[in-house]
Structure formats: C-alpha cells, structure tokens
Amino acid sequence: MNFTRWSARLPGTQRRAAARTDLTVSPDRRGEGSVPAARAEHLTDDAQPVPAVDDLDVREVLDRIPSLVALVHGPDHRVAYVNDAYTAAFGPRPVGAPARGTLPELAELGLLPLLDQVLRSGKPRTVKSRKAPDGRSYTFTCTPVTEDGGGRGVLVFATDVTDHAEAAERLRASERRQRETAVTLQRSLLPQELEEPDDLRIAATYHPGGTEAAVGGDWYDVITLGGGRTALVIGDVMGRGVRAAAVMGQLRTAVRAYARLDLPPHEVLQLLDGLAMEIDANQIATCAYAIHDPNEGRLVYASAGHLPILVRDENGTVQRADEPTGPPLGTGGWMHSSGSVPLGPGSTAVLYTDGLVERRNEDLDEGIAALERALAGATGTPQVVCDRLVRSAGVTPDHDDDVAVLVLQHPARKGAESELFRNAALELLGGVEAAPRARAFASGVLTSWRFPAELHDLGVLATSELVANSLQHGTPPMRLRLRRTDRRLIIEVTDGDDHLPRRRRAEPGDESGRGISIVATIASSWGSRRTPGGGKAVWCEFALPKPDRS
C-alpha cells in the first residue's frame, strides 16, 4: 500500500508527505506494523532510540498513535488501512472490502452517511462522544483525502473520550437529581387542591422548566377570606433551583397568614416586602395580590414588580391592569398602593408568571400582547382557558423557564341557578329605631329566600346582634347587607368607625359585651375588616344544608 498516493486536506497543515519520495510501505509490512507507543515504553535502555517523526513513514506514524485510525476510499468506502489501535478495539479488518460490511461499528454509530457527506463536500466533519460497540466512547473526525491519481477517500480518526463522557454523564445525572428535588419541593409547596369560592370558578397550572436551572420560584394560591371575599396570589422568586423553591414556600406561607388579617392588597405586599428582606437580603420576588368581593364586582389588587393582570369581559374585550405597580419584594423603601379593575358576571381574569410571555430576542410587551389575543378568543371553563393559553404560548416540556397560570371566572348565572345567588341591603338610618327595622328587614328577606325556620331565626338573631353592636360602638353611615350563595348565608354590617370588635368574656354583671360572643357561637364563622374608605365591616356566615338529591 503506497501512502504517497493519499494526502489529508487538513486546514493549516503542510503536506509534507507529498514532498517525500521514500514513504512507500511494502505489502509484506502490512501485518507487521512498527512498535506502538504503548509497547515502546517497555524497551530497554539498549534498544534503538525512537526516530523523529520526519524519519518515519506514514504507516509507522499511524501505527504508533493510540487513537483509532481507518482509511477508506471510493464511493463505497472500501477499506484501505486500519491501525493497530483500531484493530485492538474492534478486531482485524480485511483490506479492500466495503466499509458497510467490513466496518460494522461505523454503521452502528451512524457514521456511513457522514462519510458520504465528507466525500461529496470535501470538508471534514466531527461527531462528538459516540458510544461504540466495545463500550467505549469516541469522538470521530472524518477528513477528506485525495489520491495523486484523482481518487478520493476519507480518513477516520477516533479519539477515546470515555472518561470525559462518563464524567459528563455523572454531571448530567447529578443535575437531573437536583432538578427532580427542586420540582418535588416546588410541587409540594404549591396548593395540592385549590380552594373553591362560592362566586368564582378557578383553575391553575404549573409547568417546570426543561432544565435544572429553570425550576423553582413560581407560585400561586387561592385563599377564601370569609364574607364571600377571595384572595388570589401569584408570584415569582428571582432565582432557580431548590433555594428559590424554599424561599417561595416561605413567602406563600406568609401570604396565607397575612391574608387572614383581611388587609388591603397593598398592606399585604408591604408586610411581604419586609419579610423578603429578612429571609434573604439578596433575594427578590415579584408578586401580585388581588381580592375579589362579589358585592363590588371588581378585583382590587396590588403588584410588586409583577406582570399585569388581564381581564376579559363578557363581550370578549381584554383589559390590561397595568397600574399601580411597585418594585419587587425584598427591595424595601417603597409604599405600595392598590388599584382595581372591573370583574363583573361573565368576566375572566388571568394571573401568570413571566415564563408564559417572555421569550429571548422578543420584547416582553409583544408576549403580553400575544397573550391578550389568545385570551380574547378563549372560552370555556377555567381549566380549558388555562390549557389554551399555555398551548398558545408554546410551552413545552423543554421550555426554558417555569410557568404558573391562575385563571378565574365570575360566571353569569341565569335561571334557577341565579335564584341561589341573591343580595339584599338596607341603609341603617336614625338611632336605636334602626334595630327593629333591621330585624324586620332580615326576617322578610330570609322568608322570601325560603330558608328553614331554624336558619331563619338564627339569621335574624345574628342580624340583631351585629346591628346593635354597630349602633352602640360605630358611627354613620351604617348599612346591613344579606347575601346568599348556593352554600351559605352571609350577614354583614358596615359603619364609619374603624375600631375592630373582638370577642371577649362578659362577666355576669356586665350589661354589654355578649353580642359578638353570641354571633360567634351560633354562626359557622365570623370576622371583621377595615374598609378602604375608612370604617369597618363585621360579618358572619351560616352554612346552608345540602339539598336532598334522593
């Protein structure tokens, strides 16, 4: 075999072999080879010194290197040569036969089409870290070579990268374990089941990112506040992995605790801001906190650096609740404020994290606008809307960021269902004479709503106590509101004084102090809150008996 007939076209390499005339390898040496480098280590001091590379013919150079080398020529890639390292790895290979049958290892690795490509293009190609049948991993470089007579072939050069491949696989396995830990922690900290308010239908979804670095930090929650009101929360901790998920869990727990205080949204964010700084001064988070009151038909919200809430009305028009928005939680030194957006019957609202709308090389406003268009055409149940929005955003299992979406609907009830959701209100004018008017009003309303006699009497008693408490300790304006849903009766009295009542133990000789205790005893639950314009609201609830479906 004469190697002077071939030359490798390697970028930046001089073709020394073409200038030499003594590089002919006789056929009787094809089976001998020269002493490989591995065997040369065991030569004695008396052995002949290893000649310089320029003093060796090409066959000797290729036989000495530890990498795997094969030379094929022609369109069917007939084998011209394999070195000793190749033979040690895959066994002897006959010269002159096509590679498809002679070099099955290349076929199994999918390299035969690559040889065709190199032969056609005349350009070298490399494939990294392919696992061969011998269990080792190799990086293959296929380089075009040209025969002096015009023939063409390919030099296959394989470097053993098994150690690197195994280290990389160990690293990937470690990253997978970390990602699984982060996802497990993240999912365990999210609500396992969403609370179901009487007046809203709600669905939510969470999609972890496709890599370990994209997991953790997004959360959502639904919190029933009592009195028919519902708090909705969505947030995103800046950061990834287990640490972000742990911080998220602390913030979510704190939100639920602060929500029980029934504070305005901006005050809840103010408390969260201070807590976020205590958890980690270097960790920030965005958050949107909203409250729905069915009596008001609006969504009152505050935002700490979070993306705007989107609301679709019953006609399909989408409104973006942009303002007010303060800086993220954990920055400190900012007084948040609350805003509101209409959420009447038939409306749908969407709260989401940036993974749903943010894309590389694309403006964030474009992503939000695309979400608005998708929401405008999205109909059906909250879960259907949620799934449609995720699909329209192109969220896949290998998405580069985690995604949280919370969809709520205020359904427009008609017919028999509307009879289960009723409201009645009375302005409490005058002095003590307002109390008997309130009792009579409550009795008439509860009778028209066809409540059982026992529930009717309890409702009138609770109305009497709440009104008496407001007349004694509150200031005008005063108002009584009765509301029923398919699950409960809600009685609420508002007045202009912002002093919140508390339950206390009345002594036998006390003439007052028993009203709230009576209400707390007979009602399923009770509570109080300050109203936005000043003053307070005191409410109680009675669970309705489940309808007999027998």
Side-chain angles (χ1 to χ4, degrees), residues 66-68 134 136-139 158-164:
S67 298
L68 281 60
D134 66 346
R136 309 288 292 176
S137 294
Y138 299 91
T139 288
T159 304
D160 191 328
V161 293
T162 304
D163 292 342
H164 296 284

Side-chain angles (χ1 to χ4, degrees), residues 125-374:
R125 294 288 186 271
T126 299
V127 292
K128 296 182 179 180
S129 191
R130 294 281 180 92
K131 194 167 186 179
D134 66 346
R136 309 288 292 176
S137 294
Y138 299 91
T139 288
F140 290 86
T141 299
C142 301
T143 305
V145 293
T146 303
E147 185 182 5
D148 290 343
R152 301 174 66 190
V154 179
L155 181 70
V156 181
F157 188 91
T159 304
D160 191 328
V161 293
T162 304
D163 292 342
H164 296 284
E166 291 177 350
E169 179 57 35
R170 288 193 297 270
L171 179 60
R172 286 191 293 269
S174 175
E175 291 176 346
R176 285 194 296 270
R177 288 191 297 270
Q178 292 182 28
R179 181 179 186 277
E180 291 169 0
T181 301
V183 170
T184 301
L185 176 61
Q186 175 87 358
R187 291 194 182 280
S188 68
L189 294 174
L190 291 173
Q192 304 305 300
E193 291 186 7
L194 292 177
E195 296 185 19
E196 299 180 359
D198 296 357
D199 296 274
L200 297 176
R201 295 173 183 167
I202 298 178
T205 186
Y206 170 73
H207 293 267
T211 63
E212 188 276 333
V215 176
D218 290 18
W219 92 92
Y220 56 82
D221 209 348
V222 178
I223 310 165
T224 53
L225 302 177
R229 292 152 48 85
T230 306
L232 306 124
V233 194
I234 196 158
D236 185 1
V237 175
M238 300 296 103
R240 298 293 181 260
V242 175
R243 174 61 182 167
V247 172
M248 176 274 287
Q250 296 178 75
L251 291 177
R252 177 176 173 254
T253 301
V255 169
R256 295 192 69 87
Y258 295 148
R260 300 305 178 191
L261 301 176
D262 212 343
L263 300 171
H266 65 275
E267 293 189 22
V268 171
L269 291 189
Q270 212 68 49
L271 293 172
L272 283 176
D273 185 34
L275 178 65
M277 296 182 66
E278 293 179 8
I279 293 175
D280 188 341
N282 299 317
Q283 190 81 59
I284 63 174
T286 65
C287 180
Y289 182 91
I291 295 177
H292 175 255
D293 189 335
N295 297 312
E296 303 296 334
R298 302 186 70 82
L299 198 63
V300 181
Y301 67 91
S303 175
H306 204 77
L307 299 172
I309 300 171
L310 302 182
V311 178
R312 177 186 183 272
D313 65 20
E314 57 183 347
N315 299 319
T317 303
V318 177
Q319 179 179 353
R320 185 188 300 191
D322 281 327
E323 299 294 342
T325 300
L329 304 176
T331 55
W334 179 270
M335 295 299 295
H336 292 274
S337 58
S338 295
S340 67
V341 63
L343 190 72
S347 298
T348 299
V350 179
L351 292 79
Y352 52 97
T353 56
D354 58 1
L356 186 67
V357 295
E358 192 172 31
R359 299 292 180 271
R360 291 174 182 167
N361 304 321
E362 185 176 303
D363 188 80
L364 181 60
D365 281 336
E366 294 180 9
I368 298 175
L371 182 62
E372 288 179 335
R373 292 190 294 270

Side-chain angles (χ1 to χ4, degrees), residues 58-59 62 97 120 127 155 172 308 329 344 363 375 463 509 527 541:
V58 175
R59 171 65 179 269
L62 296 180
R120 287 194 307 268
V127 292
L155 181 70
R172 286 191 293 269
L329 304 176
D363 188 80
L375 177 59
T463 299
E541 295 180 351

Side-chain angles (χ1 to χ4, degrees), residues 20 52 186 217 255 269 302 311 313 316 347 416 436 466 482 495 498 517 548:
R20 295 178 59 89
Q186 175 87 358
V255 169
L269 291 189
V311 178
D313 65 20
S347 298
L466 292 181
L482 297 147
D495 64 56
D498 61 1
S517 293
D548 186 5

